[in-house]
Amino acid sequence: MRRVVRGFWGPRAEPVETVADRWLRTLDGLAELVPQAAAAWSQVHSNGPATALTSDRDALLGALSTARSATDWSDITGIGLRLVGTGAPGWQAEVSGLAGGAPEFLLQSLAIILHAPDEAVVPEKALLTLVARVWEPDFGDVSDDDVLDALEDDADYSVGDPVVGRAGYLSPARAALVPDDLETVREPLPGGGELLSIAAPGDSAAVVRVYERLREAGALAPLPRPMDRAVL
């Protein structure tokens, strides 16, 4: 089963060293939560074959610095990096991110795509908490293909809109707009944001209902464009 854990935020210019530290904390956390998914990492390039990459700070800083030195790189956009991890049979992780920039229209992001056996127990909410803790996003979600299809078909969701899935993360200003009677489990996280436990796998209809309530309440309002801050 393919699971997607994501976080998104607006402009937040950061030095490459800070972005490297966030990447290191992400990979260390992923190795602790799902060790069977990524025993070894490789970096995917826009041109040429993937290359092996160790998950230490020096290697990550080097990969990010190289990406930043590309001829078409812009300090406005941020630094992109895409890693693929291989592990036990049936498991695979992909982590991709765009961070450290100050774009006015393109959200910064970190996404973990996890392939696991259908019967496997995956700590989805813990992975979303990891993304929230490390990257301090504006919003985040745990989704799969069925959830995303249902949101697009039944709730007019478009890619780039703030979103929640089977679980969701909302930054403090967004969490303050969550209706008190919303039928979800709400867990405050350090920093003032909230983790929402919304639905079990397969219950896309519940995700659509909660998504629509949150959108009506303003908790999923998009950041104003052009963007001038990282969170609502």
Side-chain angles (χ1 to χ4, degrees):
M1 182 178 180
R2 178 179 179 268
R3 297 166 170 86
V4 182
V5 182
R6 307 180 297 179
F8 299 89
W9 60 97
R12 186 171 64 212
E14 294 181 317
V16 64
E17 292 83 4
T18 301
V19 178
D21 287 339
R22 292 187 191 270
W23 268 98
L24 179 60
R25 292 166 60 198
T26 301
L27 297 186
D28 285 348
L30 187 59
E32 180 178 346
L33 292 170
V34 201
Q36 62 271 52
W41 291 100
S42 58
Q43 181 184 358
V44 178
H45 305 277
S46 56
N47 294 302
T51 54
L53 184 77
T54 56
S55 56
D56 60 70
R57 188 180 187 277
D58 288 344
L60 291 166
L61 181 58
L64 291 165
S65 298
T66 298
R68 192 178 62 166
S69 66
T71 56
D72 60 348
W73 180 76
S74 166
D75 60 350
I76 294 176
T77 302
I79 311 168
L81 189 63
R82 180 183 173 198
L83 304 181
V84 173
T86 55
W91 291 83
Q92 186 183 61
E94 178 180 328
V95 188
S96 58
L98 179 65
E104 294 183 331
F105 297 97
L106 176 68
L107 289 168
Q108 306 278 276
S109 63
L110 190 286
I112 299 171
I113 300 174
L114 192 65
H115 297 269
D118 289 343
E119 70 280 3
V121 176
V122 176
E124 296 178 340
K125 290 188 291 184
L127 288 169
L128 182 56
T129 300
L130 171 68
V131 172
R133 186 178 72 246
V134 172
W135 293 94
E136 303 170 87
D138 188 30
F139 60 91
D141 68 310
V142 174
S143 298
D144 55 41
D145 293 335
D146 290 341
V147 165
L148 294 174
D149 287 344
L151 288 169
E152 291 177 356
D153 294 342
D154 302 332
D156 296 324
Y157 162 72
S158 296
V159 174
D161 292 344
V163 68
V164 293
R166 292 199 304 276
Y169 169 78
L170 299 177
S171 59
R174 293 187 183 279
L177 297 172
V178 175
D180 291 336
D181 62 346
L182 191 70
E183 294 182 1
T184 63
V185 177
R186 301 172 60 178
E187 178 184 346
L189 296 182
E194 284 191 357
L195 184 71
L196 307 181
S197 300
I198 295 169
D203 192 359
S204 298
V207 177
V208 169
R209 289 195 301 271
V210 170
Y211 171 81
E212 291 178 329
R213 284 288 315 278
L214 291 171
R215 186 173 59 185
E216 291 168 1
L220 295 179
L223 287 171
R225 261 59 169 190
M227 297 183 295
D228 61 0
R229 57 188 182 274
V231 298
L232 187 69

